[in-house]
Amino acid sequence: MADPFTLPGEPEISRAKGVADVVNRVLMELVLACTKGELVYDRFQVGVVTYGGTAAMAPYFQGLRPLSEVAENPLDVERRPIVNPGGSTSDIFFPFWFEPRAEGGTPMCEAIRIAHGLIAPWVAQYPESFPPIIFNISDGESTDGSPLEGLRSLQAVSTLDGPCLTFNCLLASGSGPQVVWPARAEQVPEGNLRDLFEGSSVLPEAMRHRAAAAHKLSLESGARGVVLNVGLLDLVRLLDIGTPANDGGAR
């Protein structure tokens, strides 16, 4: 994650920096979408498991947290310049909950096990809610075995509205075929990429329609929530399509 993005048109920043910025922005947008006046409505609960340890995230951010509490507990707030429509610039206050960090391996099986330990009790407590959505973001293969069994164990956890949804993003490392939103196994090479495909959920119809409306993506029926050997734009699309603010539930 310390390496820069390698695809044409990508920002000249490390993958860790890019992912941290995207996740922080998603959280900020969720907070804004669920805010009315000064009240943040708890339409989401959010949890994060980090491969590089917990030092890079707000100390408060352990387990699954209601969105209102997340909003009140950023790691810090910084000023960021923005360009206005007329060309002038101004500063905005940008809260962030995670800092970029690139260290350690990629123990996907262990991370998925931890996620399962968070999700299962939540589902037992809120059985009538929209099922949890789990995003797995990495730039390398699992270092502790195939994640397929663990991803399927997450999908086996269900609310009354359906099973948990598991979506995967493998950021490009400079080699290998790029595969986005595949619907059939033969579209994905065997091995690690195929395991991530098999462990990814089929996009619900509402999300497939959102992909078309918001991102002009024409995805065939059965397309799965998985993007492989991709850059930052496809990660942004995956998180946006999979985290619509008009759905309640754990994310």
Side-chain angles (χ1 to χ4, degrees):
M1 293 293 280
D3 294 331
F5 289 97
T6 57
L7 298 178
E10 293 288 284
E12 296 181 0
I13 57 176
S14 71
R15 295 173 206 155
K17 170 66 172 171
V19 171
D21 281 352
V22 170
V23 172
N24 285 322
R25 184 170 295 278
V26 167
L27 288 175
M28 183 179 70
E29 290 174 351
L30 282 179
V31 169
L32 292 175
C34 297
T35 298
K36 186 174 182 180
E38 297 183 356
L39 181 63
V40 179
Y41 288 87
D42 288 327
R43 299 179 65 192
F44 293 82
Q45 290 191 23
V46 187
V48 175
V49 178
T50 60
Y51 288 124
T54 60
M57 66 182 185
Y60 165 83
F61 217 132
Q62 303 288 333
L64 292 172
R65 299 296 188 184
L67 190 61
S68 61
E69 297 180 13
V70 172
E72 295 172 358
N73 291 276
L75 189 64
D76 205 346
V77 179
E78 64 182 12
R79 287 178 178 268
R80 291 195 175 187
I82 61 169
V83 178
N84 300 314
S88 62
T89 61
S90 58
D91 289 339
I92 63 170
F93 289 101
F94 186 86
F96 61 93
W97 294 264
F98 302 93
E99 293 181 320
R101 187 176 294 269
E103 60 186 33
T106 311
M108 283 191 193
C109 297
E110 175 65 11
I112 292 168
R113 185 192 66 79
I114 294 172
H116 190 282
L118 297 175
I119 292 300
W122 188 93
V123 166
Q125 185 176 0
Y126 303 102
E128 297 183 358
S129 294
F130 189 89
I133 300 175
I134 300 96
F135 295 95
N136 176 38
I137 304 167
S138 172
D139 72 340
E141 295 184 15
S142 172
T143 56
D144 61 352
S146 170
L148 180 55
E149 182 178 351
L151 290 167
R152 285 177 171 167
S153 73
L154 286 173
Q155 295 172 353
V157 179
S158 300
T159 67
L160 297 177
D161 199 31
C164 290
L165 300 172
T166 56
F167 298 150
N168 289 281
C169 174
L170 179 66
L171 297 171
S173 59
S175 62
Q178 185 178 84
V179 183
V180 293
W181 315 103
R184 300 178 303 281
E186 59 266 26
Q187 295 173 302
V188 186
E190 294 183 357
N192 175 60
L193 299 186
R194 181 72 65 83
D195 285 349
L196 291 177
F197 166 80
E198 296 287 358
S200 298
S201 300
V202 173
L203 285 175
E205 283 300 292
M207 292 185 184
R208 198 164 65 88
H209 293 321
R210 178 175 171 80
H215 297 279
K216 310 303 180 187
L217 296 174
S218 180
L219 304 182
E220 64 180 290
S221 179
R224 301 201 185 196
V226 57
V227 289
L228 304 169
N229 288 322
V230 298
L232 202 58
L233 176 59
D234 284 302
L235 171 60
V236 170
R237 287 171 172 163
L238 179 68
L239 291 172
D240 181 64
I241 292 167
T243 319
N246 59 354
D247 287 330
R251 301 291 191 267

